[in-house]
């Protein structure tokens, strides 16, 4: 449960983070969560439209490679027994709420941050798995899925580095967080290069437009 004391009041050291990190992280979480929710909503609507009209031309189907129709109809699109976008509809509001709470200068206990971080770890692992399944098995680069990839990577990095720098995992991990903090943008770019670079090398995505 959130502890609503303000930044100026004393808080447990384990829940503290370096000054200036809360606002930036809050914006990343709010924007990332909102865009992830938008992508999940659009994919859910596309899934419903396909159920109603199997022959419909989805707006996300740009060409034979850049499309979401094959992803929605694949087994990977319902890996838990229900459409993956429903999972996004349930989970992406969480970073929006946490981000808004940070802007309101709320404080959270260490256990909350680690639980939130565990959720982000699941999200980033699921994103990379889906991305490589899409590229190497389904043979597509899904536009709305790509937006999910794009926002989940910086959210995961931001929360993880924040927790490390807050000293929640001990002094050794705090030093790791301090070292990684200046490189968050570069690490996010590296994540994008891994996914979209693989898509270009394997699918020649740009070649489908030129």
């Amino acid at each position: 449960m959130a502890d609503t004391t303000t930044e100026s009041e004393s808080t447990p050291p384990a829940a503290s983070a370096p000054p200036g990190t809360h606002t930036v992280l809050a914006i990343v979480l709010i924007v990332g969560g909102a865009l992830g929710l938008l992508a999940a909503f659009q994919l859910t609507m596309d899934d419903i439209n396909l159920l109603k009209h199997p022959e419909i031309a989805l707006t996300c189907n740009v060409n034979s490679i850049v499309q979401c129709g094959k992803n929605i109809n694949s087994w990977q699109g319902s890996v838990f027994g229900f459409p993956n976008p429903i999972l996004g509809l349930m989970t992406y509001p969480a970073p929006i709420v946490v981000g808004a709470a940070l802007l309101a200068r709320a404080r959270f206990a260490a256990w909350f941050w680690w639980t939130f971080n565990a959720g982000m770890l699941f999200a980033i692992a699921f994103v990379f798995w889906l991305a490589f399944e899409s590229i190497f098995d389904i043979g597509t680069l899904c536009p709305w899925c790509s937006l999910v990839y794009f926002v989940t990577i910086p959210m995961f990095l931001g929360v993880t580095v924040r927790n490390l720098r807050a000293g929640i995992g001990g002094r050794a991990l705090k030093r790791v967080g301090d070292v990684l903090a200046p490189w968050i943008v570069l690490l996010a770019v590296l994540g994008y290069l891994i996914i979209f670079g693989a898509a270009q090398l394997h699918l020649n995505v740009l070649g489908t437009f030129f």
Side-chain angles (χ1 to χ4, degrees), residues 15-39:
S16 302
T21 60
H22 284 82
T23 301
V24 175
L25 180 59
I27 294 172
V28 169
L29 291 176
I30 292 171
V31 174
L35 291 177
L37 189 59
L38 171 65

Side-chain angles (χ1 to χ4, degrees), residues 162-197:
R162 180 266 167 213
N163 284 346
L164 294 176
R165 296 186 75 195
I168 296 176
R171 291 184 178 180
L173 289 180
K174 183 180 185 304
R175 287 193 291 270
V176 173
D178 290 337
V179 171
L180 291 177
W183 301 98
I184 286 182
V185 174
L186 183 61
L187 290 172
V189 171
L190 178 61
Y192 299 147
L193 287 175
I194 291 173
I195 292 177
F196 298 109

Side-chain angles (χ1 to χ4, degrees), residues 13-72:
S16 302
T21 60
H22 284 82
T23 301
V24 175
L25 180 59
I27 294 172
V28 169
L29 291 176
I30 292 171
V31 174
L35 291 177
L37 189 59
L38 171 65
F41 175 78
Q42 292 294 338
L43 284 167
T44 301
M45 293 304 299
D46 286 337
D47 204 333
I48 293 172
N49 287 331
L50 278 178
L51 286 175
K52 289 182 176 180
H53 311 286
E55 303 303 321
I56 191 172
L58 300 176
T59 57
C60 60
N61 288 350
V62 179
N63 54 49
S64 62
I65 299 297
V66 182
Q67 63 161 291
C68 58
K70 288 183 179 178
N71 297 68
I72 292 173

